[in-house]
Amino acid sequence: MSKTILVLGAGTGGIITAKELSREAGKGSGVNPVKIIVFEKEEKNVFAPSLLWLMVGKRKPEQIYRSTNKIAGSGIEVVPGVIEKVNPEAISVTVRGKEYKGDYMVISLGVEQVAEHNLDNFAQDFYTLEGAKIFNEQLQKFEGGKIAVVIPSLPFKCPAAPYEAAMLIEAFIRKKGLRNKTEISLYTPEPGPMAVAGKELSGAVKQIVESKNIHYFPLHQLIAATENTLTFRLASGETKTTAFDLLAYTPKHQCPSVIKETALVGKSGWIEVDRNTMETAFLNVYAIGDITHIPLEMGKPLPKAGVFAHYQAAIVAHNIAKKIEGEIPDKIFNGEGQCFLELGDGKAGYAGGDFYGSPLPNVKMKKPGYWWHWTKVFFEKYWFFKYF
Ligand SMILES: Cc1cc2nc3c(=O)[nH]c(=O)nc-3n(C[C@H](O)[C@H](O)[C@H](O)COP(=O)(O)OP(=O)(O)OC[C@H]3O[C@@H](n4cnc5c(N)ncnc54)[C@H](O)[C@@H]3O)c2cc1C
């Protein structure tokens, strides 16, 4: 009998799950083709890494998204609308009052993004299409002063993104001849950049950021903001207030409310899964990507990043296809991951390795250069070509 797979969310993880399932499932042993139903609330499917280029005018908004509907076909149906209810026990999803039942469920709903300290009233959330677009408009008109990039809270997806944003802004300002009139600062509650990847890599990124005369303020917890000031609590317990003229920030990340109310969520506040198979506590229900919490041996969770959502999706799709064909699932997610680090001036760095490394992740950075930037550009083109 034909099987139905419900894929919740058409972001990085959801798209790859659906496409890989459509390619793999039902091919062997004469099983009927599968039905894949993807649920997504957004009409525009944004390629998030390109938001950083949009911030500094290297992309136009319409260049970095495609219509969600374009992923439909080859056994994939897209149901537009907000998921109102998820029932992992019954493997069902409700959208606009209609219940959809499946044999398997893959939850890839990412994070819910919210502004803190009223930052949305006087600054731009560069983790959204609109925020990155408006930030670029403001940057184009900027004539000098103080630019701040702020991380108000942890966790945030793509640990490299705010550092890349600061370096791309710095290159933009320098090219405009405004560098000696502009102070660029990056504030974060983290002890250092991309700390999960290890001291060596974190130190190397800090050194690159500071070599560009970007003022870096780790262990700065934002506690209040006004139209032109930011107040932080420091590690010492003291508070510090600084001024800004232009501000880009990361939003607070929380587990999507539709999932928060279910038994899928553990103590971490996110979905807890088997770190190799991405299975939840419910039979035939999987969760992948940013919505999951995977503790690492070093005490911190696996970072939220598209590369992990991507690999996890491919593995889950393969294993579901195996189950459907009555075979034993035979792939595991092993914690491998890579990322690019845009440095400005057409250059990028590249880091990758084993995040499940014991006792510490084993992640190394390659020598920065033009090659990595162009590899990132190529990946953007490949993404749109392959999936839309
Ligand atoms: C500026 C920026 C740069 C980045 N750069 C990189 C990078 O270089 N490398 C990298 O690895 N990662 C990068 N990332 C992170 C990456 O985009 C995410 O980690 C990745 O998209 C996570 O995939 P996901 O499938 O878990 O969630 P998402 O891709 O966020 O997808 C979740 C989907 O679920 C939908 N959804 C949520 N709730 C509902 C609901 N109730 N009903 C219906 N639909 C719903 C959402 O609309 C969304 O489409 C970057 C992120 C940003 C913001």
Side-chain angles (χ1 to χ4, degrees):
M1 227 182 54
S2 168
K3 299 285 183 194
T4 301
I5 303 124
L6 310 180
V7 179
L8 282 54
T12 309
I15 289 176
I16 291 167
T17 304
K19 293 285 180 181
E20 287 298 307
L21 268 168
S22 145
R23 201 173 60 81
E24 284 206 43
K27 270 192 179 162
S29 57
V31 175
N32 288 336
V34 293
K35 186 171 175 190
I36 302 157
I37 312 180
V38 182
F39 302 87
E40 174 56 55
K41 63 181 169 60
E42 301 293 337
E43 284 173 20
K44 287 180 185 155
N45 197 286
V46 177
F47 183 67
S50 305
L51 289 170
L52 301 169
W53 290 325
L54 175 60
M55 285 179 87
V56 293
K58 292 199 177 291
R59 293 290 182 280
K60 295 197 169 22
E62 58 277 13
Q63 289 176 303
I64 70 165
Y65 66 81
R66 297 288 183 271
S67 162
T68 299
N69 279 333
K70 286 189 97 180
I71 65 167
S74 309
I76 302 173
E77 181 194 341
V78 177
V79 174
V82 175
I83 299 169
E84 292 144 11
K85 196 172 168 209
V86 175
N87 184 340
E89 225 158 6
I91 312 195
S92 76
V93 162
T94 307
V95 178
R96 293 189 187 137
K98 182 175 171 190
E99 191 182 27
Y100 297 80
K101 281 192 179 262
D103 301 288
Y104 297 88
M105 181 190 276
V106 182
I107 305 168
S108 45
L109 291 174
V111 303
E112 206 163 81
Q113 303 185 175
V114 289
E116 296 169 278
H117 308 292
N118 293 321
L119 283 171
D120 50 333
N121 288 339
F122 33 73
Q124 300 312 322
D125 168 359
F126 69 99
Y127 271 35
T128 65
L129 188 68
E130 194 58 14
K133 176 178 157 256
I134 298 176
F135 180 84
N136 175 55
E137 288 163 6
Q138 294 175 340
L139 187 67
Q140 301 290 345
K141 290 186 211 139
F142 190 75
E143 289 175 346
K146 290 174 190 278
I147 302 181
V149 176
V150 178
I151 300 163
S153 60
L154 307 176
F156 62 93
K157 56 185 161 183
C158 190
Y163 297 89
E164 296 179 276
M167 290 189 279
L168 288 167
I169 292 168
E170 193 278 333
F172 175 93
I173 289 292
R174 187 160 25 85
K175 283 205 184 94
K176 253 192 132 185
L178 295 170
R179 193 63 184 98
N180 57 3
K181 291 205 265 175
T182 307
E183 210 175 283
I184 303 169
S185 305
L186 199 165
Y187 301 92
T188 177
E190 304 163 285
M194 302 158 77
V196 173
K199 276 191 182 147
E200 197 184 316
L201 190 138
S202 183
V205 175
K206 180 171 182 278
Q207 192 263 324
I208 297 171
V209 167
E210 290 182 334
S211 72
K212 293 172 184 287
N213 200 18
I214 294 169
H215 304 297
Y216 181 53
F217 298 102
L219 298 173
H220 276 55
Q221 178 63 60
L222 186 70
I223 52 170
T226 70
E227 219 175 331
N228 46 23
T229 66
L230 296 165
T231 302
F232 298 94
R233 186 178 308 109
L234 312 185
S236 62
E238 286 167 69
T239 59
K240 168 172 138 186
T241 299
T242 60
F244 70 86
D245 299 303
L246 183 59
L247 172 60
Y249 67 93
T250 60
K252 179 179 176 174
H253 291 19
Q254 58 194 34
C255 185
S257 16
V258 69
I259 294 296
K260 230 189 277 173
E261 288 132 29
T262 69
L264 286 157
V265 172
K267 272 192 203 136
S268 63
W270 301 91
I271 302 182
E272 285 158 21
V273 288
D274 178 303
R275 73 179 203 160
N276 294 125
T277 63
M278 311 309 290
E279 289 169 301
T280 67
F282 294 86
L283 186 65
N284 293 333
V285 176
Y286 299 77
I288 56 173
D290 291 353
I291 200 165
T292 63
H293 174 88
I294 301 179
L296 301 178
E297 227 174 280
M298 49 102 69
K300 291 201 165 76
L302 183 73
K304 297 189 186 301
V307 64
F308 299 127
H310 189 139
Y311 293 154
Q312 292 163 355
I315 281 150
V316 165
H318 172 86
N319 287 344
I320 292 176
K322 283 277 174 193
K323 277 195 185 179
I324 289 172
E325 285 169 22
E327 294 174 24
I328 296 169
D330 57 0
K331 284 200 178 166
I332 59 160
F333 172 64
N334 62 7
E336 287 285 325
Q338 306 80 25
C339 86
F340 298 101
L341 181 75
E342 281 289 291
L343 306 177
D345 306 309
K347 289 187 185 172
Y350 174 88
D354 174 13
F355 283 78
Y356 283 177
S358 173
L360 295 170
N362 181 15
V363 185
K364 297 271 177 284
M365 188 158 161
K366 302 242 188 216
K367 192 167 173 266
Y370 297 107
W371 168 256
W372 299 121
H373 166 75
W374 285 108
T375 310
K376 186 168 178 175
V377 173
F378 173 78
F379 185 71
E380 177 199 44
K381 310 286 172 235
Y382 172 79
W383 174 263
F384 287 132
F385 174 75
K386 179 153 187 204
Y387 297 115
F388 292 91

